[in-house]
């Protein structure tokens, strides 16, 4: 028995539902830090950043599930749905902090969405995540059919790229960290691209 097989046997005994409970800890910790001065002089901006960055990190884990299985044999597929829904939850909180605590003025919110490209990209990414979150259940798979459902959930790659680009554009000045995130996302998305096989020359 290989190491990957032993790991998969162990993982098969671990339920996915505790992830939803554990997933509440990071935003609660970020909020606690914000309330106690742990996020610096601009806690609202810092809270926005923390939630957005953490959402992108979890989304990268979601994208890595299939390549990990292909290259190492370790299968985390049973946890992918929970991780995907948690990603949506973190992005929603990221947006909520911006709407309620940061901007607050409704007219200014719409003006920012229209006039600031990084906000426009972020909002498009969030809107595309909504059908993914709504259909992340067995009933939707049965209603849509596995083929249509899989095609719909290819939007995950689009939202990941948009999220990474949003992060790069939000960063002030030239910073390596957002570019590293973008590079990782593009690399993971590239692993899912299927290129036509070259025809043999007669």
């Amino acid at each position: 028995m290989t190491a990957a097989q032993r790991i998969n046997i162990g993982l098969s005994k671990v339920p996915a539902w505790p992830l939803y409970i554990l997933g509440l800890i990071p935003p609660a910790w970020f909020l606690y830090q914000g309330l106690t001065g742990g996020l610096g002089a601009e806690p609202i901006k810092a809270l926005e950043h923390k939630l957005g960055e953490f959402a992108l990190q979890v989304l990268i884990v979601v994208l890595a599930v299939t390549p990990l299985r292909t290259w190492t044999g370790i299968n985390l597929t049973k946890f992918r749905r929970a991780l995907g829904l948690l990603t949506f939850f973190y992005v929603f909180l990221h947006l909520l902090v911006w709407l309620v605590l940061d901007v607050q003025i409704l007219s200014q919110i719409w003006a920012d969405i229209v006039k600031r490209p990084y906000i426009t990209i972020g909002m498009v990414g969030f809107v595309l995540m909504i059908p993914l979150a709504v259909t992340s259940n067995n009933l939707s798979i049965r209603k849509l059919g596995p083929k249509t459902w899989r095609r719909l959930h290819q939007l995950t790659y689009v939202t990941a790229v948009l999220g990474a680009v949003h992060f790069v554009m939000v960063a002030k000045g030239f910073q390596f960290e957002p570019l590293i995130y973008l590079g990782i996302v593009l690399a993971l998305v590239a692993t899912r691209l299927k290129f036509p096989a070259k025809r043999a020359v007669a």
Side-chain angles (χ1 to χ4, degrees):
M1 183 181 295
T2 66
Q5 288 173 328
R6 287 194 292 270
I7 291 172
N8 288 337
I9 290 173
L11 290 172
S12 67
K13 301 175 183 178
V14 179
W17 64 263
L19 275 177
Y20 295 106
I21 299 174
L22 294 174
L24 298 176
I25 296 175
W29 172 245
F30 298 150
L31 179 60
Y32 171 77
Q33 286 185 306
L35 293 174
T36 56
L39 294 182
E42 297 186 62
I44 293 175
K45 290 289 186 183
L47 182 60
E48 277 181 48
H49 176 82
K50 287 281 188 181
L51 289 167
E53 184 176 9
F54 192 68
L56 186 57
Q57 290 169 349
V58 179
L59 185 53
I60 286 173
V61 175
V62 173
L63 293 178
V65 168
T66 297
L68 183 68
R69 183 182 60 195
T70 301
W71 297 336
T72 70
I74 297 175
N75 191 351
L76 298 176
T77 304
K78 66 182 291 186
F79 304 106
R80 183 162 52 190
R81 179 183 298 177
L83 291 170
L85 289 171
L86 285 172
T87 299
F88 177 78
F89 174 61
Y90 300 142
V91 172
F92 175 73
L93 291 180
H94 170 71
L95 176 62
L96 198 62
V97 170
W98 177 69
L99 292 174
V100 177
L101 300 181
D102 190 353
V103 182
Q104 298 182 339
I105 303 171
L106 185 60
S107 59
Q108 184 61 43
I109 290 170
W110 178 247
D112 284 348
I113 293 173
V114 173
K115 294 180 180 180
R116 299 187 180 186
Y118 72 91
I119 296 179
T120 305
I121 289 173
M123 286 300 298
V124 171
F126 173 73
V127 170
L128 291 179
M129 292 185 77
I130 294 174
L132 300 180
V134 170
T135 59
S136 289
N137 53 74
N138 293 332
L139 178 61
S140 294
I141 296 175
R142 291 194 297 269
K143 292 289 186 180
L144 295 173
K147 187 176 180 179
T148 301
W149 186 88
R150 284 194 297 269
R151 189 179 297 115
L152 172 64
H153 278 251
Q154 288 177 349
L155 285 175
T156 302
Y157 312 131
V158 179
T159 61
V161 173
L162 291 174
V165 170
H166 170 74
F167 189 29
V168 170
M169 295 177 71
V170 166
K172 296 180 179 179
F174 181 82
Q175 296 185 30
F176 277 110
E177 185 183 16
L179 294 175
I180 291 172
Y181 278 112
L182 178 59
I184 292 172
V185 167
L186 292 176
L188 289 170
V189 171
T191 64
R192 304 305 302 273
L193 297 177
K194 295 181 180 180
F195 299 98
K198 294 183 179 179
R199 294 183 179 180
V201 179

